[in-house]
Amino acid sequence: MNKRLLSLAVCAVLCAGAAVVRVAAQDADINNGRVVEMIHLGLDDDIVIAKIKSGKCAFQLADPDLMELKKAGVSSKVVAAMLDASVLTSARVAVDKKSVEMHTLAQAKVGGRLGSALTYGIKSVKSKAYLDGPHSAAIANPSPVISVELPRGETIDSYILVVLDGKKDRRELEVASVGGIVGGKSGIRAEAIQRTSSQSLGGNKFNLTTETLKKGEYFIYVVGSADSIKGVYGRGYDFTVE
């Protein structure tokens, strides 16, 4: 390979590397440092705010952070946009430091009809909501660290831990029972609810602690999230203890 071809090859590699760096920078979260960088580049406030609104943001906005932003020349208009972008609309939940997505118990099945008919109503008819799949994508240890950051207006008391009945292709949760000796009941069975305690971490951040969990399927259920008219039997965050 002559010197000219070698130079062209080196240039191509460098250009490709620069392109990768640019793409990585574009995909990165917009944090405090990135906002300061854009301000120092001379970008107009409206442009910076547009970037904040369209990007994936991860800001630190405690009082000391706000003072540092002010010292760096970030306008109050931009800081206000940063604060707006940081307002939660739904809880952030992590189990053993792994983020867990919210799922909806939107499907229901009814079991026990035949048994109820054969026993003239002595046995109850049970309604069960379920999640597809035998296991959650989030795997936890028997003593999981559950962290919850809440939107404004929500309380940690609305988050309860329940055990799901594991099946071959789904995980079930009884949400109602009709008939039988005790009559009709709605809501989650008491024996499915796991005992938890909450520890405030300041602001709207909490840790939920529980007793050592057995191997199985679990769901952090949001009380009041059910809407039977819409076919929603509750929302929450699932994980599997192996």
Side-chain angles (χ1 to χ4, degrees), residues 37-49:
E37 179 185 5
M38 288 189 286
I39 294 298
H40 288 176
L41 285 172
L43 296 180
D44 185 79
D45 281 358
D46 290 336
I47 294 176
V48 176
I49 291 171

Side-chain angles (χ1 to χ4, degrees), residues 110-167:
V110 177
R113 284 176 175 168
L114 179 59
S116 179
L118 293 175
T119 60
Y120 299 96
I122 293 176
K123 286 189 176 181
S124 60
V125 177
K126 299 176 181 178
S127 295
K128 296 183 178 181
Y130 63 89
L131 296 174
D132 286 324
H135 303 293
S136 169
I139 307 300
N141 67 69
S143 298
V145 177
I146 303 171
S147 59
V148 182
E149 184 177 0
L150 300 175
R152 292 174 184 172
E154 289 195 15
T155 66
I156 194 63
D157 293 337
S158 296
Y159 290 73
I160 61 174
L161 180 63
V162 298
V163 61
L164 302 176
D165 297 324
K167 304 296 180 181

Side-chain angles (χ1 to χ4, degrees), residues 67-136:
M67 291 300 298
E68 289 299 320
L69 289 168
K70 183 177 180 180
K71 290 178 182 177
V74 179
S75 71
S76 58
K77 184 178 177 181
V78 171
V79 170
M82 294 169 70
L83 289 167
D84 286 343
S86 300
V87 174
L88 290 182
T89 56
S90 61
R92 290 176 182 162
V93 176
V95 178
D96 287 344
K97 298 184 178 181
K98 297 184 287 287
S99 295
V100 183
E101 294 184 1
M102 175 179 278
H103 292 287
T104 299
L105 296 167
Q107 298 174 324
K109 56 171 284 189
V110 177
R113 284 176 175 168
L114 179 59
S116 179
L118 293 175
T119 60
Y120 299 96
I122 293 176
K123 286 189 176 181
S124 60
V125 177
K126 299 176 181 178
S127 295
K128 296 183 178 181
Y130 63 89
L131 296 174
D132 286 324
H135 303 293
S136 169

